[in-house]
C-alpha cells in the first residue's frame, strides 16, 4: 500500500465548487473519567477534565461535523490542536479538494496539519474487507502513525448524537450485546499497532440540527461529501431508509429514544465491567476459573481479554470460538482475526 504524506500550512483557500456555507443549500470506556459539559454557541460539548494547554490530534474530513468541532474547540481555548486529514482515494478530484480545504482551514486557524492519501479500495480488496471496514481500519492506522510521530495519543473525533442513534441500530441488527448496543463512548482507549489511542468524542450529546445551527450562526464553510447519500454503504441506508421508516411506523422522532437506550446500556456496561473485575484481566486466563463461571461472565471476560490484547474485530463468533476451548476435548488452538491465535496449555489460555 502506497502512502503520500504532506504536512503544510497554506494561506486562504480559493473557493471550491463543492464547498458549502452553513445556511446555504447544499471509539473500552475509560472508567471514572471526569465528565463536564461546556456550552459553546449552542453546542453542548463534554470537555470535563481536558486541559486546554495540552496537545491533541483532531480528525477533520472537511465535512460539517468535523469543521464544527474544530471551530468549537478553538473557540473553547484548545490552541495546540494538530489537524489530521486522510484522503481515502475513493473520490478523485473531490477528495483532493477536501485535502486542500482542510489544509487551508488549519493554516487560517494557526494550527498544524498532517494529511495522507491511502488507496482504501486496493487495501479492502487485498484484505478481503468491505470498503466501510477497510476505511475504518485505515483511519485508525493513520491516527496511530501520527500519534507516534508527534507524541500525542489523544484524538478528537466528531461523532454526534445522530451517529450514536444510527450506531445503536447498526449494532442491533448485527446481533451485538450490551457493549455494542451502548455504542460509542465519550472517552475510550483503542490500541492500534501498539499505540494506545485515547478517543475523545465531545459531541455525542449534540444533534445534527444543533451543528447546522452553529455553522449557520458562524457562517462557516465546509465540504459536502456526495458519498454520504450513496445507498452503497450500510450506514447510509440506516440513516436515509431505516430511520425514516421507523419514524413513520411510530409517528415520532425515534432517534432520541435510541440515543437514550444506548446511554443507559453504556453506563450499565461500565458498571458491570467494574463489578466483574474485568480490569484485572491479564495476558492469560485460567481455564478452571472460567469453566466455573456462567456463560455470560465467560463471554464478558473473554471479550475484554481479546480487546485488551489488541485482537482486531472481536465479536460473538470470536468469543464463542475461544469458549469452545473450555470444553473437555475442545480444541487446544483456534484462529483469530489479524493472524492471531489463542492456545490452551497447562490449564491456561494465552494469545500468540
Amino acid at each position: 500500500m502506497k502512502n503520500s504524506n504532506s504536512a503544510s500550512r497554506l494561506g486562504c483557500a480559493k473557493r471550491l465548487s463543492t464547498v458549502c456555507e452553513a445556511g446555504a443549500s447544499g471509539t473500552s470506556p475509560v472508567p471514572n473519567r471526569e465528565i463536564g459539559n461546556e456550552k459553546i454557541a449552542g453546542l453542548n460539548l463534554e470537555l470535563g477534565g481536558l486541559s486546554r494547554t495540552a496537545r491533541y490530534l483532531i480528525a477533520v474530513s472537511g465535512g460539517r461535523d468535523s469543521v464544527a468541532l474544530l471551530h468549537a474547540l478553538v473557540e473553547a481555548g484548545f490552541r495546540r490542536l494538530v489537524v489530521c486529514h486522510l484522503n481515502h482515494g475513493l473520490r478523485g478530484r473531490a477528495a483532493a479538494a477536501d485535502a486542500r480545504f482542510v489544509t487551508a482551514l488549519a493554516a487560517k486557524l494557526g494550527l498544524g496539519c498532517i494529511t495522507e492519501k491511502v488507496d482504501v479500495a486496493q487495501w479492502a480488496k487485498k484484505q478481503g474487507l468491505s470498503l466501510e471496514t477497510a476505511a475504518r481500519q485505515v483511519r485508525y492506522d493513520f491516527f496511530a502513525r501520527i500519534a507516534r510521530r508527534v507524541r500525542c495519543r489523544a484524538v478528537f473525533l466528531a461523532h454526534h448524537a445522530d451517529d450514536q442513534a444510527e450506531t445503536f441500530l447498526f449494532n442491533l441488527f448485527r446481533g451485538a450485546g450490551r457493549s455494542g448496543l451502548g455504542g460509542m463512548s465519550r472517552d475510550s482507549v483503542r490500541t492500534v499497532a501498539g499505540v494506545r489511542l485515547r478517543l475523545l468524542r465531545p459531541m455525542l450529546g449534540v444533534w445534527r440540527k444543533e451543528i447546522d445551527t452553529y455553522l449557520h450562526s458562524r457562517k462557516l464553510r465546509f465540504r459536502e461529501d456526495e458519498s454520504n447519500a450513496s445507498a452503497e454503504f450500510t450506514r447510509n441506508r440506516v440513516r436515509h431508509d431505516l430511520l425514516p421508516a421507523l419514524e413513520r411506523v411510530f409517528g415520532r422522532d425515534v432517534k432520541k429514544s435510541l440515543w437514550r437506550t444506548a446511554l443507559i446500556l453504556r453506563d450499565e456496561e461500565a458498571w458491570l465491567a467494574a463489578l466483574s473485575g474485568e480490569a484485572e484481566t491479564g495476558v492469560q486466563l485460567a481455564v478452571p476459573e472460567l469453566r466455573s463461571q456462567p456463560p455470560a461472565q465467560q463471554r464478558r471476560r473473554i471479550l475484554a481479554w481479546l480487546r485488551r490484547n489488541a485482537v482486531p474485530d472481536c465479536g460473538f463468533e470470536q468469543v464463542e470460538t475461544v469458549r469452545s476451548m473450555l470444553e473437555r476435548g475442545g480444541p487446544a488452538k483456534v484462529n483469530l482475526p489479524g493472524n492471531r491465535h489463542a492456545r490452551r496449555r497447562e490449564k491456561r489460555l494465552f494469545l500468540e
Side-chain angles (χ1 to χ4, degrees):
M1 182 173 61
K2 191 174 183 180
N3 297 348
S4 62
N5 303 333
S6 65
S8 58
R9 292 171 176 259
L10 301 179
C12 294
K14 63 182 180 180
R15 188 166 186 84
L16 303 170
S17 61
T18 54
V19 171
C20 302
E21 182 173 309
S25 58
T27 245
S28 50
V30 177
N32 302 321
R33 179 80 66 189
E34 179 188 351
I35 295 294
N37 292 2
E38 185 162 330
K39 201 85 168 181
I40 301 172
L43 297 184
N44 195 28
L45 302 186
E46 301 199 38
L47 299 172
L50 299 180
S51 169
R52 299 319 197 251
T53 60
R55 178 184 291 174
Y56 300 91
L57 308 181
I58 176 169
V60 181
S61 66
R64 68 184 66 208
D65 305 334
S66 59
V67 166
L69 178 60
L70 176 61
H71 280 278
L73 288 174
V74 170
E75 198 171 335
F78 291 84
R79 301 294 180 179
R80 298 185 64 203
L81 299 171
V82 178
V83 175
C84 304
H85 175 84
L86 182 66
N87 179 345
H88 296 74
L90 297 173
R91 296 169 45 245
R93 292 181 179 179
D98 289 349
R100 293 195 298 271
F101 173 83
V102 171
T103 305
L105 175 59
K108 183 178 179 180
L109 295 173
L111 303 173
C113 182
I114 299 175
T115 68
E116 284 189 13
K117 181 178 180 180
V118 176
D119 189 338
V120 171
Q122 183 183 57
W123 174 253
K125 184 177 180 180
K126 180 179 179 181
Q127 300 296 320
L129 302 172
S130 69
L131 273 180
E132 288 174 289
T133 300
R136 184 170 59 251
Q137 288 187 4
V138 166
R139 277 196 300 273
Y140 281 113
D141 287 342
F142 170 57
F143 298 148
R145 287 194 298 275
I146 303 307
R148 187 180 285 113
R149 185 191 310 177
V150 303
R151 298 182 181 180
C152 174
R153 303 294 193 261
V155 187
F156 278 114
L157 302 173
H159 298 110
H160 49 74
D162 292 81
D163 293 327
Q164 189 76 301
E166 293 163 8
T167 298
F168 176 89
L169 281 177
F170 187 84
N171 288 342
L172 175 66
F173 290 106
R174 290 176 61 236
R178 189 187 302 271
S179 176
L181 294 177
M184 297 171 284
S185 297
R186 298 172 180 86
D187 192 340
S188 62
V189 170
R190 179 173 180 147
T191 301
V192 180
V195 178
R196 282 176 59 82
L197 294 173
R198 181 183 177 191
L199 306 178
L200 303 170
R201 298 182 176 94
M203 293 206 302
L204 285 182
V206 179
W207 295 95
R208 186 176 288 119
K209 63 182 180 182
E210 295 173 308
I211 293 172
D212 288 340
T213 299
Y214 173 81
L215 292 168
H216 181 82
S217 70
R218 296 295 193 268
K219 294 183 170 55
L220 298 176
R221 298 163 68 208
F222 57 89
R223 296 281 298 175
E224 194 71 76
D225 182 351
E226 66 273 12
S227 69
N228 287 333
S230 171
E232 178 184 357
F233 302 109
T234 305
R235 186 170 287 275
N236 289 346
R237 296 196 296 274
V238 170
R239 178 180 305 161
H240 300 302
D241 300 328
L242 181 56
L243 269 169
L246 289 172
E247 289 173 353
R248 287 193 298 271
V249 169
F250 288 97
R252 59 183 175 83
D253 183 353
V254 300
K255 290 193 294 290
K256 289 184 179 180
S257 298
L258 300 174
W259 180 91
R260 185 170 59 245
T261 301
L263 174 63
I264 292 169
L265 291 172
R266 190 167 63 252
D267 289 344
E268 289 185 351
E269 174 68 15
W271 173 63
L272 287 170
L275 280 181
S276 61
E278 289 167 14
E280 303 301 322
T281 301
V283 177
Q284 299 182 350
L285 293 177
V287 171
E289 181 183 0
L290 276 173
R291 282 175 175 164
S292 69
Q293 295 171 340
Q297 191 171 5
Q298 291 175 357
R299 291 188 180 108
R300 293 184 64 85
R301 292 194 59 196
I302 290 170
L303 181 59
W305 178 62
L306 294 174
R307 287 177 171 171
R308 191 162 291 107
N309 287 282
V311 177
D313 301 321
C314 301
F316 179 80
E317 291 183 8
Q318 290 71 36
V319 170
E320 293 303 287
T321 297
V322 174
R323 283 188 67 231
S324 70
M325 302 173 73
L326 303 179
E327 300 172 3
R328 312 218 180 255
K333 176 185 175 182
V334 296
N335 297 326
L336 294 170
N339 200 29
R340 302 290 297 276
H341 310 279
R343 285 186 181 273
R344 187 189 71 239
R345 184 184 298 154
E346 296 179 354
K347 300 182 179 180
R348 311 286 293 182
L349 296 183
F350 61 94
L351 295 166
E352 56 183 23

